[in-house]
Amino acid sequence: HKRYQNGGWAREVTQEDFEISETISGVNMRLAANGIREMHWHQQAEWAIMLDGKCRITILDELGRPQVADVKTGDLWYFPPGLPHSLQGLGPDGAEFLLAFDNGRASEFNTLLLTDWVAHTPPDILAANFGVSADAFKNIPLDNLWIFQGDDPGPLAAAQRASQSSLGAPEHPFIFSLGEMKPIKQDRGGTVQIADSRNFPASTTVAAALVTLKPGGLRELHWHPNADEWQYYIAGQGRMTVFDTGPKAQTADFRAGDVGYVKKSLGHYVQNTGNTDLVFLEIFKSDRFAEVSLSDWLKHTPPQLVKAHLGI
Ligand code: MN
Ligand code: MN
C-alpha cells in the first residue's frame, strides 16, 4: 500500500506486517521534483540509500552544527536518533530512496513533525520562545504536512550559506557515496560494496552491503555472527535458502521490491535465478559488517578433519 500525497508517496514494512523483523523496518519513498518530506525527527536512527534521482537533505546535530547536502543514486545518508532533518526531491525527476530504521517497530507514518508541534503549542508560548508577537503564527497549518509539494530550493551553495553556523559543520558527514566505492569483494559472480562505521563514521548503528550478482552468480554460503540481516531486493530475481537448527531449511524466491530477513548466525546463500543482474541490500543493526564464509572455514581447518566429516 502506498500513502500518496501531493509531492510524493511512501510505503513501509514494519514488524506489524513482518513479525520476524525485530531490528529493522523499511520505507520506500518517492518525492516529486521539489516535493518535500516535512522537517521532523524520531527516536530511531534513519539509514537510507538513493535508488533514483537527486535529493537535498538537511540535518542539525546535537551541538547545533548543520549539514545541507545533495545526494544522487547510490549515495547513502545516516541520521542519528533524535536529530532533526528534512528531504526534498530535486529536478528534473525528483528522488526515490529506501529508508531503514534501526527498530522493527518504527513507522514513517508516525514521526515527530515540525508542524504538529507548533500547532499544538499555545501561541503565547511560541511568542515568548521566539521573541516575536503571537501574530507571527496566525497562518500556521493546523494539520501536519508530512509530504507536500514545494518550490525549487535553488543552488546548494546558497542553501548552505543561508543555514550555516559559526560552530561549523558536523564532525563526520551524514552522507556517503556507496555506489562509487571500490567493491570489497569482486569476482566473476558479482560484487559486494560495504558501508559501516569504519568507512562511514557517522553510521554507528547500521551496517550495509550492496550486492550485485551477475546472471548465474551466487552469494556464497555464509552467516553473520553479530546481527540479523534485513534484505531489500532492488533489481532482478533471486532465490535464497536459510538454514536453521532442527535441521530446518526454507527456500524462497525474491524479486525487486521484496523484503527478506535472516536471523543472526543462520546460514544462507542467494543465487541469481534471472537473466539480468540481481541487486540487493543486506542491512544490519550494527556498527560493523561481519561475515563468516563456509568456504573460508573449511579452507582454514586441517584437511584431515574436514575429510573425516564430509568424506571429501
Ligand atoms: Mn526521518
Ligand atoms: Mn548475508
Side-chain angles (χ1 to χ4, degrees), residues 37-38 40-42 44 46 77 79 83 85-87 99 101 108 111:
R37 169 63 174 94
E38 175 176 353
H40 71 281
W41 71 104
H42 30 75
Q44 302 77 27
E46 171 177 321
W77 68 76
F79 298 152
L83 297 191
H85 53 274
S86 69
L87 309 168
L99 305 179
F101 295 117
E108 179 68 359
T111 58

Side-chain angles (χ1 to χ4, degrees), residues 230-301:
W230 187 92
Q231 300 173 335
Y232 183 80
Y233 287 80
I234 296 173
Q237 61 182 68
R239 180 168 297 162
M240 174 168 70
T241 298
V242 179
F243 164 65
D244 196 356
T245 59
K248 284 186 223 157
Q250 186 175 26
T251 300
D253 285 341
F254 296 86
R255 60 191 170 84
D258 287 350
V259 172
Y261 201 82
V262 184
K263 287 282 187 185
K264 184 163 74 177
S265 292
L266 299 193
H268 55 285
Y269 62 86
V270 179
Q271 62 179 146
N272 184 343
T273 51
N275 303 317
T276 56
D277 282 3
L278 172 65
V279 183
F280 68 98
L281 286 160
E282 305 177 358
I283 297 179
F284 307 88
K285 182 175 183 173
S286 176
D287 63 340
R288 75 204 150 85
F289 176 90
E291 169 178 336
V292 179
S293 142
L294 178 63
S295 64
D296 266 357
W297 185 31
L298 300 188
K299 183 176 176 183
H300 298 290
T301 299

